[in-house]
Amino acid sequence: MNALPAFFNSIPDPRRTQGRRHRLDTIPAIATGAILCGRVGYKGIAEWAQSLSQDARARFQCYYKQERYHVPGEYIICDTLVRVEQDALDHALRHWSGQYSAVDESLSIDGKTMRSAIDSEGRRIHIVSAIGHNTLNCHAQKKSKNAMQATAL
């Protein structure tokens, strides 16, 4: 986890500079760690962040004040992740995943139809993923309008 925040350095910060306490790269790094640990939603990510020890908070390069590391709260996590440029975040996550997936010799392609998820046109949402056999990392994930169209990742 020491290297995780560095993968998000290239993402442009959409926040105003006034009142900014937490580094941008800290927020997606914490969200990634929480999701890898099975947390779901902004509240789950914030609760996971609150449970981090001071050493773990230091590794995530959290805000340091009065001899303590402070993690971002649920509102800051949600507000930042909603506003960050999606393509830049996706690129950073793919780069991070690529660093740790070099040992995969083959991929499995898996598709799912999301329950209770409907796009703006009223159609069900389908997700296709490419998962490495050796590392079990998800190398690519794509939303598709129909299950048959999701052949090209």
Side-chain angles (χ1 to χ4, degrees):
M1 290 298 174
N2 288 342
L4 186 56
F7 286 97
F8 300 105
N9 283 339
S10 63
I11 298 175
D13 197 336
R15 304 173 296 169
R16 295 181 319 167
T17 55
Q18 180 184 0
R20 191 187 309 170
R21 292 190 180 113
H22 301 282
R23 295 168 43 140
L24 178 68
D25 53 356
T26 297
I27 296 167
I30 286 175
T32 302
I35 290 167
L36 288 172
C37 290
R39 296 302 176 114
V40 178
Y42 300 116
K43 184 175 182 176
I45 293 169
E47 288 172 353
W48 183 84
Q50 289 296 327
S51 73
L52 292 173
S53 68
Q54 286 294 306
D55 289 339
R57 293 175 184 203
R59 286 193 295 273
F60 278 109
Q61 302 171 2
C62 291
Y63 174 65
Y64 188 75
K65 183 178 179 182
Q66 298 177 349
E67 300 182 17
R68 295 193 55 80
Y69 290 97
H70 301 274
V71 295
E74 180 182 353
Y75 174 78
I76 303 254
I77 292 169
C78 175
D79 184 57
T80 304
L81 292 178
V82 166
R83 293 172 46 202
V84 77
E85 187 179 319
Q86 293 178 6
D87 291 337
L89 181 61
D90 185 54
H91 176 73
L93 287 168
R94 285 177 190 247
H95 182 65
W96 173 68
S97 177
Q99 292 288 105
Y100 297 99
S101 62
V103 297
D104 282 324
E105 295 177 10
S106 59
L107 300 174
S108 291
I109 306 298
D110 184 33
K112 301 276 187 247
T113 300
M114 305 302 292
R115 182 188 302 180
S116 301
I118 298 174
D119 67 9
S120 60
E121 298 170 4
R123 294 183 293 216
R124 297 186 73 182
I125 297 175
H126 308 280
I127 303 289
V128 177
S129 304
I131 301 166
H133 279 209
N134 299 59
T135 63
L136 302 179
N137 285 339
C138 181
H139 297 287
Q141 191 165 323
K142 181 179 177 183
K143 181 173 95 172
S144 173
K145 291 184 181 182
N146 69 48
M148 300 308 289
Q149 186 186 47
T151 57
L153 284 175

